[in-house]
Amino acid sequence: MEMADPRDPRGLRSDAPLLDAWLRFTAQAEAGLLNPMAVPGHKQRQELTGAVTAGDVPLYGGLDSIKHADVPLGDAEGRAARLWGADWCRFSVAGSTHGNQALALAVGSPGREVIVTRCLHRSLLLGLVLAGLRPVWVLPERHPSGLPGGVAVGTVRDALASHPGACAVFLGDPSYVGTTGDLAGHAQAAHEAGVPLIVDAAWAAHLGFHPGLPPHAIAAGADGMVTSAHKALPAYTQGALVLARTGLLDPARLDRAFEATHTTSPAGTIAASIDAARALLARDGAALCARLLRLTAVARQRLAAVPGAAVLDGPGVEPTKLVVLLAGTGAHGHAVEADLIAAGMPVEMADRDTIIPILTIADDEAAVDRFTGVLVAAIERHRGAPRRPVPSPAWTVTPQMALPPREAFFAPNETVGADAAVGRVSAELVAPYPPGVPVLAPGEIITAEALAALRAAHAEGGRIAYAADPTLATFQVITADR
Ligand SMILES: Cc1ncc(COP(=O)(O)O)c(C=O)c1O
């Protein structure tokens, strides 16, 4: 009987060409059989910068020769396309950030309108800047918790009817908090208007692989989908998949758009880990997702039983997403988060009223049980008077667009004090991060409400990202006499 390779404990390499190449290359490097006269500059040696570059293999000139690596890459991407029922797939080493921007560059042309959720990740907003697309914003429904729900199909239909020149619909589903909309309904609405539906499914690489999970976006009828392999799947940080069904999207244009902003030196290690995660999903996805569903259900039950605490649940919520609502316990999310970090259990997001841990198919009973216990104890330790929840400003944006994002991005601008900025047009993107949904986008009027909400999030200890002045004392605004 063949011995299992401890570096590939589930024996995935026979179905994963890039993983196989990575295992071969690193074995050769470890055996001292390589003397590369090519990049990367660490030359597979650790005398200078040490272990930090261990396992780093380039795609080109590592996983295969520079002239031949496109062959195993295409093989791996083809396997992923088939698994998701797509007919085009690319592996990105630059996250869903790059994937969103690639898909924005793949539709329409500068000046064309697109229907876009305003609950979008900043990467897609910058995709609109890069592509020169003009957003027609649609707002999500509000979940009873105050958090954003999915966008209603009727909202998108209305937007398409009043903007017949729109060339695509861009949605984010599931949302950052795991709420979902009717993607099949959206696909139908988009297709009736003759335009593609593109879905940022950054958090949802596992969807569609168990009957207890919603179908993934491509299965629901979307034409394009971006997902981070490094978020929901056991892949290297930055690994992402961009998938498409061609027809309304042109494969050559998709390739051009993908390559436009991708590095010419993709990390083979990241690509191989996407390939491995895909092989794992194909073979063991149903069993691993079954465990994840079970573990999340148990954690939900345990957390919902904590007096005052609540968890998002029910129809329209991705069942493996755990969103803990703290307002009724009086515990401050940042204090709870600090205890979790001290216990070696960093979570994905914490604001005053919400804690969002990420559970994935890599978690087992023991890990989730330990985490839930520490979380419950932290809530108890910081328990206080129940309060009314205040949703993050990211969830309550009602944009007032004065200029399209690209025009505003390149317009002359000046820096003014925060109070003087009210009523002016923002030149910058400002987002509490996480979740990375812009509260201010380039070209939007800085309202008193947005400023107050950003200040409140900052005062609570939240990170305000991308602002030139993250203290919010000043803002960059478009000059008045441009
Ligand atoms: C909805 C959404 N889209 C895209 C991204 C970007 O993903 P990545 O970090 O893989 O670039 C994120 C990141 O958190 C996200 O939340």
Side-chain angles (χ1 to χ4, degrees):
M1 202 179 81
E2 216 179 301
M3 292 285 287
D5 179 347
R7 300 190 316 142
D8 176 26
R10 287 183 176 240
L12 298 172
R13 70 188 300 173
S14 60
D15 175 36
L18 297 182
L19 172 65
D20 183 56
W22 183 89
L23 288 165
R24 272 190 283 118
F25 182 97
T26 47
Q28 277 187 307
E30 271 165 38
L33 298 175
L34 294 176
N35 188 14
M37 287 297 138
V39 294
H42 56 67
K43 301 292 184 95
Q44 307 299 325
R45 303 168 68 119
Q46 297 186 19
E47 293 92 337
L48 298 178
T49 44
V52 73
T53 58
D56 174 45
V57 181
L59 171 64
Y60 295 103
L63 295 191
D64 205 329
S65 69
I66 291 177
K67 294 185 180 61
H68 195 258
D70 282 333
V71 173
L73 175 65
D75 180 4
E77 290 173 335
R79 290 171 197 239
R82 285 191 292 282
L83 182 64
W84 268 274
D87 47 32
W88 181 92
C89 172
R90 297 299 309 270
F91 289 179
S92 175
V93 301
S96 287
T97 296
H98 168 239
N100 275 331
Q101 294 173 357
L103 288 179
L105 286 166
V107 300
S109 51
R112 291 289 300 274
E113 286 185 326
V114 285
I115 312 300
V116 195
T117 172
R118 186 54 182 77
C119 202
L120 81 177
H121 185 254
R122 45 86 54 180
S123 59
L124 179 54
L125 197 129
L126 273 305
L128 303 182
V129 169
L130 290 173
L133 297 169
R134 301 166 82 102
V136 174
W137 297 122
V138 286
L139 298 181
E141 298 297 294
R142 198 136 300 285
H143 186 270
S145 59
L147 296 171
V151 176
V153 174
T155 307
V156 167
R157 276 192 187 281
D158 290 348
L160 283 165
S162 48
H163 295 269
C167 62
V169 176
F170 284 86
L171 297 175
D173 201 284
S175 71
Y176 187 86
V177 295
T179 45
T180 58
D182 174 9
L183 284 185
H186 284 299
Q188 199 183 342
H191 295 162
E192 280 170 22
V195 300
L197 169 67
I198 294 179
V199 179
D200 175 356
W203 295 96
H206 60 306
L207 292 196
F209 292 95
H210 186 281
L213 291 169
H216 56 70
I218 295 285
D223 302 275
M225 162 180 153
V226 178
T227 191
S228 294
H230 72 95
K231 293 195 196 304
L233 302 181
Y236 229 94
T237 297
Q238 294 181 205
L241 294 130
V242 193
L243 295 140
R245 237 200 315 244
T246 56
L248 290 170
L249 293 169
D250 167 28
R253 171 73 180 274
L254 283 163
D255 275 321
R256 282 206 300 280
F258 180 91
E259 294 296 353
T261 50
H262 203 217
T263 173
T264 46
S265 313
T269 311
I270 299 177
S273 77
I274 301 172
D275 193 25
R278 187 273 316 150
L280 177 72
L281 260 191
R283 202 187 60 193
D284 300 334
L288 291 166
C289 288
R291 176 175 74 172
L292 176 60
L293 280 158
R294 212 172 47 243
L295 295 181
T296 321
V298 170
R300 263 209 182 89
Q301 256 180 6
R302 218 170 137 189
L303 289 160
V306 173
V311 286
L312 278 202
D313 209 351
V317 177
E318 201 272 90
T320 69
K321 192 82 175 187
L322 197 54
V323 176
V324 187
L325 308 173
L326 293 175
T329 70
H332 195 300
H334 291 167
V336 172
E337 179 190 32
D339 285 8
L340 291 167
I341 291 172
M345 298 178 178
V347 289
E348 173 59 31
M349 186 186 122
D351 63 18
R352 191 189 71 160
D353 295 331
T354 324
I355 296 273
I356 306 184
I358 300 295
L359 275 56
T360 76
I361 58 173
D363 285 304
D364 60 13
E365 274 82 358
V368 177
D369 185 59
R370 225 174 17 245
F371 169 74
T372 315
V374 172
L375 175 55
V376 171
I379 294 171
E380 292 305 344
R381 197 170 306 121
H382 298 289
R383 187 175 276 290
R387 55 174 187 263
R388 283 170 70 85
V390 177
S392 157
W395 309 140
T396 52
V397 185
T398 318
Q400 292 181 33
M401 193 171 79
L403 281 178
R406 182 182 175 91
E407 231 174 277
F409 187 89
F410 291 110
N413 58 78
E414 60 187 332
T415 303
V416 297
D419 292 323
V422 172
R424 301 283 301 269
V425 179
S426 182
E428 55 184 343
L429 185 155
V430 182
Y433 210 112
V437 174
V439 169
L440 289 175
E444 287 178 357
I445 304 215
I446 302 176
T447 61
E449 296 75 41
L451 177 60
L454 282 169
R455 279 178 166 157
H458 181 249
E460 287 288 348
R463 169 186 170 223
I464 306 295
Y466 311 114
D469 176 357
T471 69
L472 301 175
T474 61
F475 283 83
Q476 299 208 304
V477 296
I478 309 287
T479 47
D481 55 351
R482 70 190 175 88

